[in-house]
Amino acid sequence: MAGGVVPHGSADVNRVEAPVTLKAYLMCAFAAFGGIFFGYDSGYINGVMGMAYFYKQIEGQDATQLSGEHKSLITSILSAGTFFGALMAGDLADWIGRRVTIICGCLVFLVGVALQTASAGLGLIVAGRLVAGFGVGCVSAILILYMSEIAPRKVRGAIVSGYQFCVTVGLLLASAIDYGTQERTDSGSYRIPIAIQMLWAIILAIGLFILPESPRYFVRKSQLDKAAGVLSRLRGQAVESDLIQDELAEIIANHEYEMSVLPEGGYWATWLNCFRGSLWKASSNLRRTILGTSLQMMQQWTGVNFVFYFGTTFFTQLGTIQNPFLISLITTLVNVCSTPISFWSIERIGRRPLLLWGALGMVICQFIVAIIGTVTSEPNAVKAMIAFICIYIFFFASTWGPGAWVVIGEIYPLPMRARGVALSTASNWLWNCIIAVITPYMVDTDKGNLGAKVFYIWGGLCTCCFVYTYFLVPETKSLTLEQVDQMLEETTPRTSAKWVPHTTYAHEMGFTDKNAVTNVEHAHVKEEV
């Protein structure tokens, strides 16, 4: 392979990843910061649509709320943009790198926010959210990919969960700022919450200029010297150390193996590779793509974005809530406080059990809310409904919220990882868009008027999530991305938790024989930061 040294590897399964320093953890944690502007952008619209100044500017001075059509359009248009942004990001990440793609996404997002801030009517707010959606889709897809590729295996789940935590922090900040500006009688009521988003994108873009590129991207590009240098920086070891050489050899060997079983072809063939293989084989590319895209679909099926997108208007419709903005703020606070539990549980308990128990907990809460809302609308009953909605959010935030993102970053092999994660993220945003479009028609009083009965739908869909997880989701905890490939080839989802690594790709591909490896001069890569 061109591009520098072809390192020797190890047959020891415990030496496939170098020890990790505090600096590496901090670099990974900063990357998770991108979740803040994703969460904020998703959350601020909930409060803005309930602001009198905003909906009167859209509907006219006699309006008492936004029409269902306009709520649907304003909310869903962001998701439409993110769907296409995520798909394009898969190509960009393989062409120009993970880090540069994220920075480009931030710049596009800033343009969209500027358009929204300048808006004084429906047209510009919709156009701005569409453009911002391209940026959010790009960043949300590739940040997961980037973090999964640079994070140490023992804390990869916790680091990616940190991304979801930052999403919840963004939602909370959006609710708090909406709450603070709701009473303003000028355009600042909605322009202030919109414009603040620029800060998060600027911070992330500047930080990404400092952070290193993914070593796996450089391996994919056959730039082994750069891959070794970045790995050295991430792990705090010298480029020439056996630890760096062993980890790099395992990444290269896995990539060589995956490329050897893929047919050669042009641009469209690389996309078709995502759909090759048997539906009945857990390790096939088709099965992995279906797993990733359907897992993100299921995350949207939990119905949590109904609360975060339409919570303010829903609580208003219940009739006995004095301050629906405050209730929305409380539900968002529950979301923030519950997510850090996953930092511990996703590595200690595992991905699969967490998704199973989370789905079960949500099913119970959602059916209780639906039953109470069907039987009575007494003030105490409404309080009980809000309490169970908060418990439901707790189950989501500590399980499915981070868990779905963690799994999609781990299940794809390197040759198709960028496109696989992009397709999975696009699936999330597609279903996000569908739910945002149809929900107002289901619950608005002049449309379906389901009210609390909509939780029967969410409860039924969460039952599907439970069954889906039991039969299809594997356990990937404490494995390197390369070991996940081996596990999927040798086990089934229901038996995956018992699988233990027993060999390395470096050993299988002959990289452990130093005499068989071509020796070329090490490039001295400058140590950074």
Side-chain angles (χ1 to χ4, degrees):
M1 181 182 286
V5 62
V6 180
H8 61 82
S10 171
D12 185 351
V13 296
N14 296 312
R15 285 178 59 90
V16 291
E17 185 174 88
V20 186
T21 63
L22 175 62
K23 182 178 73 172
Y25 289 128
L26 293 176
M27 283 193 287
C28 295
F30 178 81
F33 177 84
I36 286 187
F37 86 78
F38 166 28
Y40 187 97
D41 194 61
S42 299
Y44 86 85
I45 201 65
N46 176 23
V48 164
M49 289 192 301
M51 293 177 182
Y53 188 92
F54 180 77
Y55 64 66
K56 287 179 185 293
Q57 197 167 38
I58 301 293
E59 304 290 352
Q61 292 305 306
D62 295 331
T64 56
Q65 63 177 11
L66 273 177
S67 67
E69 292 85 353
H70 288 161
K71 272 193 292 188
S72 174
L73 175 62
I74 292 171
T75 306
S76 63
I77 196 67
L78 175 82
S79 303
T82 53
F83 172 78
F84 292 104
L87 285 179
M88 291 190 299
D91 281 334
L92 289 174
D94 278 344
W95 290 340
I96 62 176
R98 283 65 162 137
R99 190 174 62 101
V100 179
T101 301
I102 297 169
I103 293 170
C104 291
C106 290
L107 297 177
V108 173
F109 177 77
L110 287 171
V111 174
V113 173
L115 292 173
Q116 293 175 73
T117 306
S119 68
L122 182 64
L124 206 52
I125 192 78
V126 169
R129 282 180 64 77
L130 178 63
V131 173
F134 277 93
V136 172
C138 190
V139 173
S140 62
I142 305 308
L143 261 182
I144 296 296
L145 171 66
Y146 179 70
M147 287 187 293
S148 297
E149 290 192 337
I150 69 171
R153 59 175 169 167
K154 292 183 179 178
V155 292
R156 186 175 60 243
I159 291 292
V160 178
S161 295
Y163 168 81
Q164 178 64 21
F165 174 67
C166 288
V167 171
T168 66
V169 171
L171 286 165
L172 177 62
L173 288 172
S175 294
I177 293 168
D178 284 346
Y179 185 68
T181 64
Q182 60 172 315
E183 300 297 338
R184 290 180 65 111
T185 57
D186 58 16
S187 63
S189 59
Y190 70 89
R191 282 181 170 149
I192 291 172
I194 292 174
I196 285 175
Q197 300 174 93
M198 291 185 178
L199 180 62
W200 320 134
I202 291 169
I203 292 173
L204 180 65
I206 292 173
L208 263 295
F209 272 111
I210 301 170
L211 293 181
E213 181 55 83
S214 164
R216 288 173 170 88
Y217 165 73
F218 285 129
V219 168
R220 195 178 187 282
K221 288 292 188 180
S222 302
Q223 298 175 4
L224 303 190
D225 294 342
K226 290 183 179 179
V230 168
L231 206 53
S232 168
R233 180 179 171 191
L234 285 169
R235 304 298 187 242
Q237 303 281 334
V239 174
E240 296 81 5
S241 76
D242 286 342
L243 292 168
I244 295 297
Q245 294 297 302
D246 289 345
E247 181 171 357
L248 182 58
E250 183 68 2
I251 295 171
I252 296 169
N254 171 252
H255 183 247
E256 292 280 318
Y257 169 77
E258 294 293 346
M259 292 302 293
S260 71
V261 298
L262 287 176
E264 293 184 8
Y267 171 77
W268 294 111
T270 60
W271 276 104
L272 288 174
N273 285 338
C274 296
F275 304 97
R276 294 188 187 278
S278 169
L279 179 63
W280 311 111
K281 185 179 179 183
S283 63
S284 73
N285 288 358
L286 173 63
R287 181 73 171 267
R288 297 190 206 209
T289 301
I290 291 174
L291 174 61
T293 53
S294 57
L295 191 64
Q296 289 295 305
M297 175 185 73
M298 294 283 177
Q299 190 198 55
Q300 289 300 312
W301 279 12
T302 62
V304 73
N305 279 332
F306 165 73
V307 178
F308 295 132
Y309 284 167
F310 304 105
T312 302
T313 50
F314 173 72
F315 294 133
T316 301
Q317 290 170 5
L318 293 178
T320 58
I321 303 296
Q322 297 295 322
N323 193 334
F325 280 90
L326 183 59
I327 300 300
S328 288
L329 186 59
I330 290 171
T331 58
T332 308
L333 187 60
V334 170
N335 192 29
V336 173
C337 294
S338 304
T339 303
I341 295 171
S342 67
F343 296 177
W344 173 83
S345 60
I346 206 158
E347 298 296 356
R348 186 65 180 268
I349 299 172
R351 285 68 158 151
R352 180 178 162 85
L354 216 58
L355 294 176
L356 278 170
W357 289 108
L360 182 61
M362 288 189 287
V363 166
I364 294 170
C365 292
Q366 286 165 334
F367 279 125
I368 289 174
V369 171
I371 292 167
I372 293 174
T374 303
V375 172
T376 180
S377 59
E378 291 293 320
N380 287 336
V382 172
K383 290 177 183 176
M385 288 170 60
I386 292 171
F388 277 103
I389 287 173
C390 288
I391 296 170
Y392 148 60
I393 290 171
F394 160 78
F395 277 112
F396 174 84
S398 57
T399 59
W400 274 82
W405 291 110
V406 171
V407 173
I408 69 162
E410 298 175 327
I411 58 173
Y412 295 108
L414 181 56
M416 63 168 284
R417 187 172 295 140
R419 288 180 170 87
V421 173
L423 285 168
S424 300
T425 307
S427 171
N428 181 292
W429 287 112
L430 174 64
W431 283 96
N432 188 307
C433 181
I434 291 170
I435 289 171
V437 167
I438 66 175
T439 298
Y441 295 95
M442 293 194 295
V443 299
D444 279 6
T445 53
D446 60 338
K447 300 292 190 305
N449 197 24
L450 287 178
K453 296 184 185 71
V454 74
F455 281 91
Y456 282 121
I457 297 174
W458 305 136
L461 291 174
C462 273
T463 304
C464 297
C465 294
F466 180 86
V467 175
Y468 168 87
T469 301
Y470 180 77
F471 286 105
L472 294 176
V473 177
E475 181 54 70
T476 56
K477 138 177 114 72
S478 299
L479 301 176
T480 66
L481 298 180
E482 290 69 39
Q483 287 171 344
V484 170
D485 276 355
Q486 281 187 323
M487 179 270 292
L488 289 174
E489 289 183 354
E490 298 175 7
T491 187
T492 66
R494 281 180 286 174
T495 60
S496 56
K498 298 176 182 177
W499 186 85
V500 241
H502 53 85
T503 186
T504 66
Y505 276 105
H507 176 68
E508 296 292 325
M509 298 295 289
F511 281 28
T512 53
D513 183 359
K514 295 184 182 181
N515 295 323
V517 173
T518 304
N519 293 313
V520 293
E521 185 178 355
H522 283 288
H524 296 285
V525 182
K526 292 184 179 179
E527 300 287 337
E528 301 177 88
V529 183

